[in-house]
Amino acid sequence: VNAPASEFALIDRHFRRPVQHADVRVGIGDDAAVIAPTPGAELAVSVDMLVEGRHFMAGADPKALGHKALAVNLSDLAAMGARPRFALLAGALPEPDEAWLDAFMQGFRALAQRHDVELIGGDTTSGPRNLCVTVIGELPAGAAITRAGARAGDDIYVSGTLGAAALAVAAARGNVALADADRDRLRARLDRPEPRVGLGLGLRGVASAALDVSDGLTGDLAHILEASGCGATLEWARLPADPAIAARLDGPDRALALRCLLAGGDDYELCFTAPAHSRASIAALSHALDVACTRVGVIDAGDALAVVDRDGAPLQPLPRAFDHFA
Ligand code: ADP
Ligand code: MG
């Protein structure tokens, strides 16, 4: 097991498995995978890259990383309402570390299995550690939930809770001290995000627009507003704050807590809009899936995002969303 491995031995040991789905006509081992799309289906395709030193620290737990590399991609498919089907994995590794790869693939495969996703190809190269996952999902024709469908009067919702991942990052940087009771939960939100695949599927035909909150709510919601040509008012006090965030909103860490809540990345919750007549179906969906869906604001005919407190007074200054090049 510890003998130096060739690229092809690594592929055979860690990536290649018997084909699982009949519509994978050619899987790992040829020059390209061949898949037979479901008749009438459209494909949703997304790719995300995790770079060491940027998205994760050197020495990060490889199993959690395998989970997260796939999870962030499944989250993108969820935001489109697509059913995940296939994945490709391109990885650069500084050395052929089999124990590392084994743990990485354990995390990757456990999540893939839960969503019945088949790994159909990839690329393996040496270089600074970098993991790049492509996912392919299926949708009934015309059913994709895009960012462009929000209309004035629509409600704005957020799934789950916000701010936990950003608070975990702040703690890792030594900017805030966490209670023992919070540490593991917050760290798990950062390291092992749970893509809202079931919610995305349930929102087909219900949500008018959706995206996943990867860079921070205000910045991400602004993408919906821009694509849909509308404005919005967000009531920040209604946001589903993680309890550790909520506890900090009235104290010395208030600025940090607000930043985590409104502009913290990495939560991978869904932010979506829907007309008011969908409230009952969304409540039923939320109940059936046991995923909170909180109404946090309303779309309007303007072109700006206002974040207000309970009395409608604007929150200023607005914390900014994460931007790799800002
Ligand atoms: P080529 O040189 O023709 O591009 P490769 O030698 O890179 O092919 O890959 C051989 C096979 O192994 C291909 O089917 C490719 O998709 C698969 N593969 C390589 N690396 C990975 C990986 N990290 N995960 C999944 N499949 C992989
Ligand atoms: Mg190759």
Side-chain angles (χ1 to χ4, degrees):
V1 181
N2 289 325
S6 76
E7 174 187 336
F8 304 103
L10 289 182
I11 292 171
D12 270 349
R13 273 184 224 152
H14 296 281
F15 308 123
R16 190 169 183 167
R17 294 290 181 274
V19 167
Q20 296 166 32
H21 295 96
D23 48 4
V24 178
R25 303 287 201 252
V26 179
I28 291 176
D30 216 308
D31 291 304
V34 178
I35 49 180
T38 304
E42 290 177 348
L43 301 180
V45 184
S46 178
V47 59
D48 259 298
M49 185 154 65
L50 294 183
V51 176
E52 185 171 270
R54 173 75 359 197
H55 302 96
F56 62 93
M57 289 301 111
D61 171 18
K63 193 171 168 188
L65 210 53
H67 172 98
K68 186 163 180 174
L70 181 59
V72 299
N73 279 279
L74 296 186
S75 177
D76 282 322
L77 292 186
M80 303 299 290
R83 178 180 300 285
R85 296 293 323 277
F86 312 109
L88 296 104
L89 167 62
L93 301 173
E95 71 265 307
D97 182 342
E98 301 242 16
W100 192 95
L101 260 183
D102 199 57
F104 179 89
M105 289 310 293
Q106 270 182 41
F108 186 99
R109 283 192 205 284
L111 182 63
Q113 260 161 29
R114 273 204 279 137
H115 294 287
D116 200 23
V117 169
E118 179 162 355
L119 182 65
I120 59 168
D123 197 24
T124 305
T125 166
S126 67
R129 200 182 310 272
N130 181 339
L131 290 314
C132 186
V133 175
T134 302
V135 285
I136 303 173
E138 284 189 337
L139 282 156
I145 311 168
T146 70
R147 299 177 175 191
R151 295 295 172 260
D154 284 0
D155 294 318
I156 304 170
Y157 293 82
V158 171
S159 69
T161 59
L162 292 178
L167 192 60
V169 171
R173 293 193 177 135
N175 295 339
V176 66
L178 300 179
D180 289 341
D182 290 330
R183 197 167 295 118
D184 291 352
R185 173 174 47 81
L186 295 173
R187 193 69 215 186
R189 285 297 308 266
L190 177 65
D191 291 343
R192 306 184 53 83
E194 193 55 50
R196 300 297 192 188
V197 173
L199 180 60
L201 294 176
L203 287 174
R204 277 184 197 161
V206 176
S208 49
L211 49 57
D212 65 325
V213 182
S214 53
D215 295 330
L217 179 63
T218 50
D220 284 328
L221 178 56
H223 297 315
I224 288 185
L225 302 184
E226 193 182 4
S228 300
C230 48
T233 300
L234 195 66
E235 253 188 81
W236 72 262
R238 296 173 73 144
L239 290 175
D242 179 275
I245 295 289
R248 286 175 168 79
L249 284 171
D250 294 307
D253 288 333
R254 175 183 165 86
L256 172 78
L258 270 178
R259 210 171 339 113
C260 292
L261 185 59
L262 286 162
D266 264 350
D267 283 316
Y268 299 100
E269 295 293 353
L270 296 186
C271 172
F272 58 96
T273 61
H277 65 72
S278 296
R279 282 181 192 177
S281 7
I282 291 167
L285 185 63
S286 162
H287 183 78
L289 297 173
D290 196 20
V291 175
C293 292
T294 308
R295 204 145 44 80
V296 297
V298 61
I299 299 288
D300 61 46
D303 60 2
L305 172 62
V307 181
V308 300
D309 62 22
R310 270 184 224 287
D311 339 303
L315 179 73
Q316 268 171 346
L318 255 190
R320 287 184 59 89
F322 184 72
D323 178 332
H324 276 280
F325 296 106

